[in-house]
């Protein structure tokens, strides 16, 4: 029963979000062809006469009433068809697929790194509360995380990319490069990944660090920690085995929320580093009002966030035996 | 021969409102195989005494005096040496089993980890021992129960599990802090019976405000009031011949003795009354009691009291 309600809930959520994805782009001023007709609100002086525009609109089905377009959109999604990108003149899925892997690489790597290090540092900080280690970590991480991610990204580009020339300043790999070995390719990709990933890690580590620290401090005041000490167990062992698992409970529910912020952060960072991911694609799609591509990109992001929610739910069940039997 | 000797123990907590004199001053002995009841109202410092013996108080606490255990002053041991005593030599059964068991770890594992640590057994052997311990505290189907989590246990079973945890490494001294608190009468009696059984040939400091329970388990009873002992006697003497007005009042407040409460409130441990700490609530108080602090005096063998009525 519980599983069925859960699946139904996710189904409703997905449907509502898909509807938003359809209507939001259409609320924006302009349409995909405004940029081609030389609309005075844009600065693209391409001449497109009214007859051709009408033909184009009808070709992409944009002359139909909104309700019909909505029906087509939902029906196509159910068939796994995301539509045709107007700007790229290619299937939306093909356009998305190319950028999705880069986003997954960037978001995946940085999420793993900032989660693991944030939790670890937060736990250490709580354990050494009030001592020099704690004060140092708190000051350092909070001041670093207060930089907006795009600003930090620009600083990195200027410092490490331009001035020191240590890292490439754009892209996910060197263009037109012939790799002699796949190892060389991996190194090149990592080389491009480091700055944007570092930016994301720094931008997000503060939240998880503070959360873990507070959660650990709460847990350390619990009676069962005293019980563990009364058994003569070592402090380090008590931290790892008795405190951390309990402290992670509230954090696992936060993962879902954090995932949402992570996506917005990715849009900024991918744009700053011209990283060819879904975030940057979304940004471009907004500029040219490519409705199908926008819908597709939004949908992918939605699914990613829902997947993060699901992961959080599953982690919670794994951590807390009390929810298993309900 | 005494196993534990506490001399001139003072435990003070610095707080924003002032120094809390939780223990000021206590001298106490627990002999081998003695079961000593420590009786007093909530907030008189009973738990703090237990915690100071195994040194689990906050680092900011100011402790003076000596606590001798098997020829060592526990207050002078390093943290590492103290860890070898906790759980192995001296076990503390904390109050409130619902919050004292870790909710995310299996009960069997929580018992086994102390065994593994102190007796050097491997994981499997420690688990087997943990199951044995659960069996010894009369938990039915212990093998299955060892794999369950605390929320799957009833209140009485959790208390049994706490006792099993305390006994796991065969300690010489058990400090049991209000183990019958919050249990209903039938369960309470079962736990009392169990504690009596498992503490045979062991020393136990039994902390409680339930005199009825203490009389069933303890050989001697120490009555504590506002951070110090006011009477010490054999259990039957406390009932037959209570000397201190506080002990008398405590007895009279029991349900089967008339349910007459002691007037007034127990004093704040920050701002203790002058002279005898009980004088504001005492019917026998004289002018002397308001000024002078009475010493603990042995009236007959094994029966001491802190009151000017007997000197």
């Amino acid at each position: 029963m519980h599983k069925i309600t859960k699946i139904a809930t996710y189904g409703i959520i997905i449907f509502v979000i898909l509807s938003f994805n359809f209507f939001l782009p259409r609320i924006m001023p302009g349409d995909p062809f405004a940029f081609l007709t030389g609309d005075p609100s844009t600065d693209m002086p391409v001449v497109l006469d009214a007859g051709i525009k009408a033909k184009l609109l009808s070709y992409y089905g944009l002359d139909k009433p909104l309700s019909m377009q909505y029906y087509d959109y939902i029906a196509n999604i159910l068939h796994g068809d995301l539509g045709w990108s107007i700007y790229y003149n290619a299937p939306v899925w093909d356009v998305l697929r190319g950028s999705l892997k880069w986003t997954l690489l960037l978001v995946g790597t940085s999420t793993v790194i900032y989660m693991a290090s944030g939790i670890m540092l937060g736990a250490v900080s709580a354990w050494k509360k009030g001592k020099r280690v704690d004060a140092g970590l708190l000051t350092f991480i909070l001041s670093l995380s207060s930089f907006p991610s795009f600003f930090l990204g620009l600083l990195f580009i200027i410092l490490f990319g331009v001035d020191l020339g240590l890292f490439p300043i754009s892209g996910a790999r060197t263009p037109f490069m012939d790799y002699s070995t796949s190892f060389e390719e991996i190194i090149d990709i990592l080389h491009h990944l480091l700055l944007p990933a570092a930016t994301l890690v720094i931008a997000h580590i503060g939240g998880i660090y503070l959360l873990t620290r507070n959660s650990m401090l709460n847990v350390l005041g619990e009676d069962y920690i005293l019980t563990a000490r009364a058994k003569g167990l070592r402090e380090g062992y008590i931290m790892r085995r008795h405190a951390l698992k309990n402290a992670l409970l509230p954090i696992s529910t936060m993962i879902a929320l954090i995932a949402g912020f992570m996506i917005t952060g990715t849009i900024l960072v991918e744009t700053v580093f011209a990283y060819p991911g879904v975030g940057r694609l979304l940004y471009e799609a907004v500029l040219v009002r490519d409705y199908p591509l926008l819908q597709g990109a939004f949908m992918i992001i939605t699914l990613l966030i829902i997947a993060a929610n699901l992961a959080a739910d599953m982690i919670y069940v794994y951590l807390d035996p009390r929810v298993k039997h309900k | 021969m005494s196993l534990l000797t506490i001399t001139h123990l003072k435990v003070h907590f610095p707080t924003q409102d002032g120094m809390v004199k939780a223990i000021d001053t206590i001298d106490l002995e627990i002999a081998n195989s003695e079961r000593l009841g420590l009786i007093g109202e909530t907030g008189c410092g009973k738990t703090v005494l237990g915690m100071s013996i195994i040194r689990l108080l906050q680092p900011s606490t100011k402790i003076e005096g000596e606590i001798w255990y098997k020829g060592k002053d526990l207050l002078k041991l390093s943290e590492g040496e103290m860890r070898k005593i906790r759980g192995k030599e001296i076990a503390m059964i904390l109050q409130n089993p619902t919050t004292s068991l870790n909710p995310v770890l299996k009960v069997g594992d929580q018992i086994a980890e102390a065994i593994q640590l102190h007796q050097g057994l491997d994981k499997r052997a420690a688990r087997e021992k943990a199951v044995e311990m659960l069996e010894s505290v009369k938990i039915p189907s212990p093998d299955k129960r060892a794999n369950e989590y605390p929320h799957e246990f009833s209140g009485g079973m959790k208390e049994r599990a706490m006792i099993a945890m305390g006994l796991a490494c065969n300690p010489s001294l058990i400090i049991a802090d209000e183990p019958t608190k919050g249990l209903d009468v039938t369960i309470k009696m079962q736990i009392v019976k169990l504690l009596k059984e498992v503490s045979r040939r062991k020393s136990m400091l039994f902390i409680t405000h339930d005199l009825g329970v203490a009389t069933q388990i303890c050989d001697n009873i120490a009555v504590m009031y506002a951070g110090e002992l006011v009477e010490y006697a054999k259990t039957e003497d406390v009932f037959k011949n209570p000397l201190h007005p506080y002990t008398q009042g405590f007895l009279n407040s029991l349900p089967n003795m008339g349910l007459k409460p002691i007037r007034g409130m127990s004093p704040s441990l920050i701002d203790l009354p002058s002279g005898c700490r009980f004088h504001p609530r005492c019917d026998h108080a004289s002018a002397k009691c308001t000024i002078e602090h009475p010493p603990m005096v042995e009236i007959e063998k094994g029966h001491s009291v802190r009151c000017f009525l007997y000197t």
Side-chain angles (χ1 to χ4, degrees), chain B residues 41 245-250 253 260-265 278 281:
Chain B
E41 290 166 307
Y246 174 69
T247 315
Q248 292 165 0
F250 200 94
S253 69
K260 287 189 289 290
I262 307 172
R263 67 183 165 90
M265 304 260 280
F278 189 60
R281 305 170 75 185

Side-chain angles (χ1 to χ4, degrees), chain A residues 8-233:
Chain A
T9 314
Y10 277 119
I12 292 170
I13 291 172
I14 291 176
F15 179 74
V16 169
I17 291 172
L18 286 182
S19 306
F20 269 115
N21 290 352
F22 176 80
F23 289 109
L24 280 180
R26 285 166 173 78
I27 294 171
M28 287 194 296
D31 62 56
F33 307 106
F35 298 90
L36 299 175
T37 54
D39 186 307
S41 68
T42 72
D43 38 339
M44 286 195 194
V46 178
V47 182
L48 193 70
D49 72 50
I52 296 177
K53 191 186 173 186
K55 270 192 183 149
L56 277 171
L57 280 173
S58 117
Y59 178 75
Y60 287 107
L62 293 173
D63 58 341
K64 292 188 204 164
L66 212 56
S67 55
M68 271 310 287
Q69 288 185 40
Y70 180 63
Y71 173 81
D72 287 345
Y73 161 71
I74 296 289
N76 283 339
I77 282 180
L78 290 180
H79 288 99
D81 180 7
L82 294 182
W84 192 272
S85 163
I86 298 167
Y87 181 74
Y88 285 94
N89 199 20
V92 166
W93 175 238
D94 290 350
V95 179
L96 277 176
R97 202 172 46 188
S99 49
L100 186 60
K101 63 176 180 207
W102 295 119
T103 293
L104 285 180
L105 179 69
L106 178 59
V107 173
T109 328
S110 39
T111 303
V112 168
I113 293 175
Y114 84 74
M115 284 272 175
S117 47
I119 287 171
M120 211 181 70
L121 294 174
V124 168
S125 226
W127 180 13
K128 304 280 178 199
K129 194 203 164 205
K131 301 220 172 99
R132 211 181 286 170
V133 186
D134 175 41
L137 277 175
L138 200 61
T139 322
F140 179 68
I141 293 179
L142 285 194
S143 40
L144 209 60
S145 291
S146 329
F147 285 103
S149 58
F150 64 89
F151 178 66
L152 202 66
L154 288 174
L155 273 186
F156 277 1
I157 289 179
I158 292 169
L159 187 65
F160 297 110
V162 179
D163 285 354
L164 297 174
L166 293 175
F167 293 97
I169 56 170
S170 72
R173 59 208 294 174
T174 313
F176 311 114
M177 174 95 150
D178 283 324
Y179 301 110
S180 49
T181 60
S182 53
F183 178 72
E184 206 177 310
E185 186 178 359
I186 291 169
I187 290 297
D188 186 48
I189 288 172
L190 288 180
H191 198 203
H192 281 80
L193 181 69
L194 200 125
L195 282 187
T199 310
L200 277 177
V201 167
I202 292 172
H204 289 89
I205 199 174
I208 197 87
Y209 162 80
L210 267 189
L211 201 66
T212 312
R213 185 176 176 274
N214 285 344
S215 183
M216 274 295 267
L217 286 178
N218 281 333
V219 167
L220 290 180
E222 295 284 347
D223 287 346
Y224 50 78
I225 299 297
L226 206 58
T227 309
R229 291 197 176 121
K231 283 187 239 177
L233 303 170

Side-chain angles (χ1 to χ4, degrees), chain A residues 223 227 231 234 237 242 246, chain B residues 99-100 102 110 113 118:
Chain A
D223 287 346
T227 309
K231 283 187 239 177
R234 284 175 181 282
Y237 178 87
H242 285 262
N246 281 288
Chain B
T99 54
S100 294
N102 193 328
Q110 294 189 52
E113 63 185 358
H118 292 303

Side-chain angles (χ1 to χ4, degrees), chain A residues 276-306:
Chain A
V278 177
R280 203 182 64 143
L281 195 65
L282 190 71
Y283 172 74
E284 285 172 357
V286 169
L287 285 186
V288 299
R289 307 289 190 273
D290 189 340
Y291 295 159
L293 185 58
L294 268 177
Q295 289 160 359
F298 274 136
M299 195 188 77
I300 290 291
I301 289 172
T302 308
L303 291 180
L304 285 180
I305 293 175
I306 286 177

Side-chain angles (χ1 to χ4, degrees), chain B residues 179-249:
Chain B
T180 57
K181 198 181 183 179
L183 297 173
D184 59 53
V185 185
T186 24
I187 308 286
K188 195 200 261 184
M189 284 308 129
Q190 290 171 9
I191 296 290
V192 167
K193 204 175 141 218
L194 175 70
L195 274 171
K196 206 172 166 179
E197 216 176 284
V198 297
S199 63
R200 210 165 276 154
R201 287 186 300 280
K202 280 185 194 304
S203 299
M204 176 154 79
L205 178 66
F206 188 79
I207 302 170
T208 185
H209 59 242
D210 189 333
L211 198 54
V213 167
T215 49
Q216 292 185 50
I217 296 180
C218 304
D219 309 310
N220 293 301
I221 283 181
V223 181
M224 195 168 171
Y225 184 78
E228 63 183 357
L229 296 185
V230 293
E231 186 158 0
Y232 179 95
K234 287 200 195 72
T235 303
E236 61 263 32
D237 288 344
V238 171
F239 268 93
K240 276 192 224 142
N241 183 24
L243 295 177
H244 198 282
Y246 174 69
T247 315
Q248 292 165 0

